[in-house]
Amino acid sequence: MLAGQLSELGIVPGMKLEVHSSFKSMGLRTLAPLDVVDILYTAVGREKGLVAMPTHTLSLEHAMGRDDWAQPYHPKHAISRVCGAMTEAIRHYPGACRSDHPSHSITAIGGSAADITRGHLAAGACGIGSPLHRIAASGGKVLLIGVGLTSMTLGHVGEFIANLPWLQLPYDAKWGDHFIVQDDDGSVRRVPIRGGYAGCSSAFGRLRAPLEAGGYIKCGKLGQADCLLVEGAAVLTAVCAMLAADPASLFCDDPHCPCCPPRRALTDKLKAEGKV
């Protein structure tokens, strides 16, 4: 059933997929998360296709001991606790490659997985040359399974392409400005965060209208879950267009958000000074 649904959605051999998912939403009683990863991998083709998922960890200095998700980052050992059961499954898939970024690692399977995940820390979490940017730039698509556009990390890549000043403000100031990384010998060390910070995605639903208007979203099902298949390059174009029109257009409206109010305040200040 799942293979047929993926075909109806437009997933074909040779495709590169960035997948965000809620395993529970699929309502599968006889399949495990690893089984679904295998079905996705078969659908895109094991030689030329690619399946990538976020295996994020909260490996930030001042999150240690304060958040259950926080752990020192080691690509082989750090558990993917942030983005759902399928992300932990792909981490254990034979031949999987995981990137070296301590908070926003990506794990991929497929012929180009090693090239896609290489050099992530140097590129930045969602910067130009990061794994998600490479996938989108090579014609890849985003598959959202039982989750919406607010789960689409690729939107942050568009923010980095737009290169606005508020990227230098952290998502949450109390987390600090260093990662905690574990080396192969078990020792841990601090690594400074460079190149800016990915922010809040709660307002990414605003991208749906321009993406649908351009015909860049296809809807379908996987199991019982509602799915969206989105053109990756179109996401980047839409984000940049929205931010060019209004640099505050993708901030959320929650006054308690640790990220958006400081960024909005900076943007308002820069607007008043005529700098954005």
Side-chain angles (χ1 to χ4, degrees):
M1 178 182 73
L2 297 187
Q5 289 178 314
L6 290 170
S7 179
E8 290 176 9
L9 194 55
I11 293 170
V12 296
M15 187 173 283
K16 294 181 174 69
L17 287 180
E18 169 202 342
V19 181
H20 299 269
S21 61
S22 164
F23 178 74
K24 289 182 180 179
S25 71
M26 289 183 273
L28 305 174
R29 296 184 178 181
T30 60
L31 296 177
L34 193 62
D35 297 320
V36 180
V37 172
D38 193 63
I39 291 167
L40 285 167
Y41 194 19
T42 300
V44 300
R46 294 171 181 266
E47 293 185 4
K48 296 185 178 180
L50 181 91
V51 177
M53 297 186 190
T55 44
H56 297 174
T57 52
L58 201 59
S59 301
L60 296 153
E61 182 175 24
H62 296 316
M64 298 294 159
R66 299 174 59 176
D67 194 300
D68 290 341
W69 290 343
Q71 58 190 305
Y73 183 70
H74 187 291
K76 291 183 179 179
H77 307 308
I79 299 169
S80 177
R81 293 173 173 159
V82 180
C83 299
M86 296 248 303
T87 69
E88 179 63 4
I90 197 172
R91 190 172 75 82
H92 294 284
Y93 199 92
C97 297
R98 189 180 193 181
S99 71
D100 64 352
H101 198 278
S103 66
H104 284 69
S105 71
I106 300 296
T107 297
I109 51 177
S112 60
D115 290 334
I116 287 289
T117 55
R118 184 176 292 119
H120 192 178
L121 180 58
C126 299
I128 295 171
S130 64
L132 297 187
H133 180 240
R134 290 172 180 165
I135 292 169
S138 62
K141 300 188 179 186
V142 182
L143 176 61
L144 302 166
I145 306 171
V147 297
L149 294 174
T150 57
S151 295
M152 185 177 61
T153 310
L154 182 63
H156 296 306
V157 177
E159 294 174 331
F160 276 82
I161 292 172
N163 193 30
L164 292 169
W166 45 254
L167 288 170
Q168 301 308 312
L169 296 182
Y171 177 86
D172 190 331
K174 72 174 182 288
W175 285 346
D177 57 4
H178 282 74
F179 299 120
I180 300 297
V181 172
Q182 184 180 48
D183 292 324
D184 289 339
D185 62 3
S187 63
V188 297
R189 56 189 170 90
R190 301 164 74 240
V191 175
I193 299 172
R194 295 191 175 98
Y197 298 82
C200 173
S201 61
S202 295
F204 282 2
R206 297 171 191 165
L207 294 166
R208 182 154 188 161
L211 290 170
E212 284 187 329
Y216 299 118
I217 293 182
K218 186 171 183 180
C219 302
K221 288 276 192 179
L222 195 60
Q224 298 175 12
D226 293 323
C227 295
L228 299 175
L229 185 66
V230 190
E231 298 278 354
V235 172
L236 303 182
T237 299
V239 170
C240 289
M242 289 185 70
L243 294 177
D246 179 3
S249 59
L250 291 175
F251 296 149
C252 77
D253 298 319
D254 180 0
H256 302 293
C257 174
C259 180
C260 293
R263 293 186 173 198
R264 189 186 302 278
L266 175 60
T267 301
D268 290 344
K269 178 179 180 291
L270 295 174
K271 283 182 178 179
E273 296 171 352
K275 295 180 179 179
V276 293

